Amino acid sequence: MSLKEKFIKKTPMFVQSSAISLFNTYQYKVRHGGEYKKIREYYAKVESFTASQLDKEIKKKQKSFFKYVKRKSAWYNKLNIKDLTKNIPLEKQDIINDFDKIKTIREKDGIVSLTGGTTGASMKVVYTKKDMQERFAILDHFRAQHGYHLGRKTAWFSGKNLISEHDIQNNICSHYDFINKIRFYSTFHINQDSFHVYWQSLVKFQPEFIVGFPSSVYELCEIADSLGLQLPTPVKVFFPTAETVLPKHREVIGRVLGCQLVDQYASSEGAPFILECTHGRLHIHPLTGIFEVVDENLQPAQSGELLVTSYTTHGTPLIRYRIGDNITLADSKETCSCNSIFPLVERIDGRTSDYILSPTHGKVNLGNISNSTKNIEGIIKFQVIQNQLKALQVLVVCSDKFNQQQKESFRAALVERFGDNMTIDIIVVDDIATEKSGKFRIVKNLLDS
Ligand SMILES: [Zn+2]
């Protein structure tokens, strides 16, 4: 437990809320100080650039970033600037093992960010303050286009475990930053028993915006939906973070909270940005970095794994970084009705490791698996675990609508996806734990680890 968590567990709620308000205000000052204002104006301006202006600006940003990295990072001193594809991809393991060689500044001179790795190894990167300010300028500009700014009532669902079981029993599921009007909800305690604590809190708080893990907000909404509930005061926008958004998320969250879901792609280790426009399409922001989509042989592809190069990672440079996510690019001839010339992405397909390996059907991806509950009633959440090549455990948290007939339909949908050569064991459970990061995973492929 960190000092901060210890403090939180032992201190009265009012003092905790004051501390959280002050901490957030301090963090806000760091993130929004320095050149933040100038950078934010820059990001507003570049949106109306012509193709040739944009091209020139991209080249300028690339050149200055690559020159800096080559000079300052021992890891990249042989970087091939002329032909990026000649450089071998940077792996997560490299950042964990060779952090000191990759980074260009001392930790105490920058801002350290920790990422929970999938295999349990935690990864650390350090940002320069200026890059952090740039990242927040980009995000704030994006959110402002959808009506948000700091000080609007916001419910936050992220992975900080600041609530105890005891708090839940006392009807407390969140902490309130009363200076910035942000209510931080625990994502670790959402289940059917605690649902009413969360629901009553949301009804009373009347947030205008929600930010956080889609799986957490979805779970709350799925339970509400099964009870026929809708939020009396609709939320304006839900900004999901950190996880892949599934079609089902949009549908159920929209229905229960009355809001629009506006997606984005970024990551705590500093990936460049993909942002949803006001016309509902995803655009790559070409001034934040390079997105290479490659196949299994690292050859360019329309749909496949991402290698990212990010211009806001001067502290811990990411060049051709294998981030572990898959996307599908839109046809390059396609244009968006929002008139932006930023490249279009068809969809974000989720993590590369989110698949089940079937002996007959090959890799079955997350999108396909999450679709298996379509038209099946009573499933609140489920998780597919693969320990062996020919056997799956499927954990299901359900309401009483999930009867024998629904269970058989669900099994049939799973067999359709994985083939009939696999043993599928459907087990009804009370709850399925989230990961240490507070995120929920539908697919757990344990063959790899
Ligand atoms: Zn657009």
Side-chain angles (χ1 to χ4, degrees), residues 148-297:
Y148 173 83
H149 63 83
L150 190 83
R152 305 290 284 271
K153 269 202 281 179
T154 302
W156 209 281
F157 286 84
S158 67
K160 290 200 173 53
N161 192 5
L162 305 176
I163 292 289
S164 66
E165 203 49 53
H166 180 75
D167 291 329
I168 296 280
Q169 272 147 30
N170 288 313
N171 293 332
I172 294 165
C173 57
S174 68
H175 283 274
Y176 191 44
D177 165 359
F178 47 81
I179 297 176
N180 301 304
K181 296 194 185 158
I182 301 172
R183 191 169 276 289
F184 292 94
Y185 287 91
S186 163
T187 54
F188 291 88
H189 298 90
I190 301 170
N191 55 47
Q192 278 171 301
D193 293 333
S194 67
F195 168 77
H196 287 285
V197 179
Y198 282 87
W199 188 253
Q200 276 156 22
S201 169
L202 280 174
V203 169
K204 196 169 158 212
F205 181 48
Q206 303 185 352
E208 283 186 84
F209 296 91
I210 296 186
V211 179
F213 297 161
S215 65
S216 302
V217 177
Y218 170 74
E219 189 179 356
L220 273 177
C221 290
E222 182 61 37
I223 300 172
D225 205 34
S226 72
L227 299 169
L229 293 169
Q230 282 175 339
L231 210 59
T233 321
V235 171
K236 288 199 176 94
V237 178
F238 169 41
F239 295 108
T241 59
E243 295 173 335
T244 312
V245 174
L246 304 168
K248 202 155 184 170
H249 292 154
R250 281 186 196 268
E251 179 202 322
V252 177
I253 292 171
R255 183 160 65 230
V256 171
L257 302 181
C259 65
Q260 213 190 328
L261 190 153
V262 178
D263 202 7
Q264 58 163 63
Y265 177 83
S267 78
S268 48
E269 63 262 55
F273 290 87
I274 296 172
L275 302 166
E276 187 168 325
C277 70
T278 50
H279 289 234
R281 296 289 313 263
L282 295 163
H283 293 265
I284 284 174
H285 201 309
L287 292 170
T288 65
I290 303 167
F291 289 85
E292 289 175 75
V293 182
V294 295
D295 64 16
E296 280 164 8
N297 303 314

Side-chain angles (χ1 to χ4, degrees), residues 84 91 101 122 136 186 197-198 232 250 351:
L84 198 60
E91 305 285 341
K101 226 174 141 185
S122 166
F136 275 89
S186 163
V197 179
Y198 282 87
R250 281 186 196 268
R351 290 154 38 129

Side-chain angles (χ1 to χ4, degrees), residues 276-283 335-340 342 344:
E276 187 168 325
C277 70
T278 50
H279 289 234
R281 296 289 313 263
L282 295 163
H283 293 265
T335 55
C336 183
S337 53
C338 78
N339 286 330
S340 169
F342 293 0
L344 282 166

Side-chain angles (χ1 to χ4, degrees), residues 6-253:
K6 266 187 201 148
F7 165 80
I8 295 262
K9 291 231 154 87
K10 293 207 161 124
T11 317
M13 199 51 82
F14 173 72
V15 181
Q16 285 183 35
S17 290
S18 302
I20 284 173
S21 300
L22 291 174
F23 177 71
N24 282 328
T25 305
Y26 163 75
Q27 243 190 356
Y28 183 84
K29 277 199 178 136
V30 174
R31 292 167 172 176
H32 298 76
E35 302 199 40
Y36 170 86
K37 211 170 152 242
K38 226 174 88 192
I39 303 170
R40 185 128 176 220
E41 281 162 10
Y42 167 83
Y43 275 96
K45 197 177 78 187
V46 298
E47 277 178 2
S48 49
F49 273 10
T50 62
S52 71
Q53 280 175 314
L54 185 63
D55 201 42
K56 217 170 124 193
E57 194 64 24
I58 291 170
K59 287 201 176 107
K60 201 170 108 192
K61 274 208 120 170
Q62 265 178 23
K63 202 172 153 194
S64 104
F65 179 68
F66 289 148
K67 265 173 82 178
Y68 170 91
V69 174
K70 197 166 174 166
R71 206 174 63 232
K72 296 272 194 170
S73 167
W75 177 266
Y76 289 110
N77 65 10
K78 293 203 171 67
L79 182 72
N80 185 333
I81 295 179
K82 284 212 175 86
D83 187 355
L84 198 60
T85 61
K86 291 275 190 297
N87 302 294
I88 53 165
L90 177 73
E91 305 285 341
K92 289 198 181 198
Q93 213 52 42
D94 297 331
I95 301 180
I96 294 168
N97 296 339
D98 288 300
F99 177 55
D100 287 333
K101 226 174 141 185
I102 297 169
K103 72 180 167 62
T104 68
I105 55 169
R106 293 180 300 183
E107 282 176 48
K108 65 176 175 128
D109 296 330
I111 300 163
V112 171
S113 166
L114 296 169
T115 317
T118 50
T119 49
S122 166
M123 199 171 81
K124 184 159 70 174
V125 298
V126 55
Y127 287 97
T128 63
K129 285 187 181 146
K130 190 182 169 224
D131 279 342
M132 192 53 104
Q133 286 153 7
E134 178 156 351
R135 295 184 69 78
F136 275 89
I138 297 162
L139 264 185
D140 289 348
H141 175 65
F142 156 68
R143 286 180 180 152
Q145 287 176 315
H146 297 275
Y148 173 83
H149 63 83
L150 190 83
R152 305 290 284 271
K153 269 202 281 179
T154 302
W156 209 281
F157 286 84
S158 67
K160 290 200 173 53
N161 192 5
L162 305 176
I163 292 289
S164 66
E165 203 49 53
H166 180 75
D167 291 329
I168 296 280
Q169 272 147 30
N170 288 313
N171 293 332
I172 294 165
C173 57
S174 68
H175 283 274
Y176 191 44
D177 165 359
F178 47 81
I179 297 176
N180 301 304
K181 296 194 185 158
I182 301 172
R183 191 169 276 289
F184 292 94
Y185 287 91
S186 163
T187 54
F188 291 88
H189 298 90
I190 301 170
N191 55 47
Q192 278 171 301
D193 293 333
S194 67
F195 168 77
H196 287 285
V197 179
Y198 282 87
W199 188 253
Q200 276 156 22
S201 169
L202 280 174
V203 169
K204 196 169 158 212
F205 181 48
Q206 303 185 352
E208 283 186 84
F209 296 91
I210 296 186
V211 179
F213 297 161
S215 65
S216 302
V217 177
Y218 170 74
E219 189 179 356
L220 273 177
C221 290
E222 182 61 37
I223 300 172
D225 205 34
S226 72
L227 299 169
L229 293 169
Q230 282 175 339
L231 210 59
T233 321
V235 171
K236 288 199 176 94
V237 178
F238 169 41
F239 295 108
T241 59
E243 295 173 335
T244 312
V245 174
L246 304 168
K248 202 155 184 170
H249 292 154
R250 281 186 196 268
E251 179 202 322
V252 177
I253 292 171

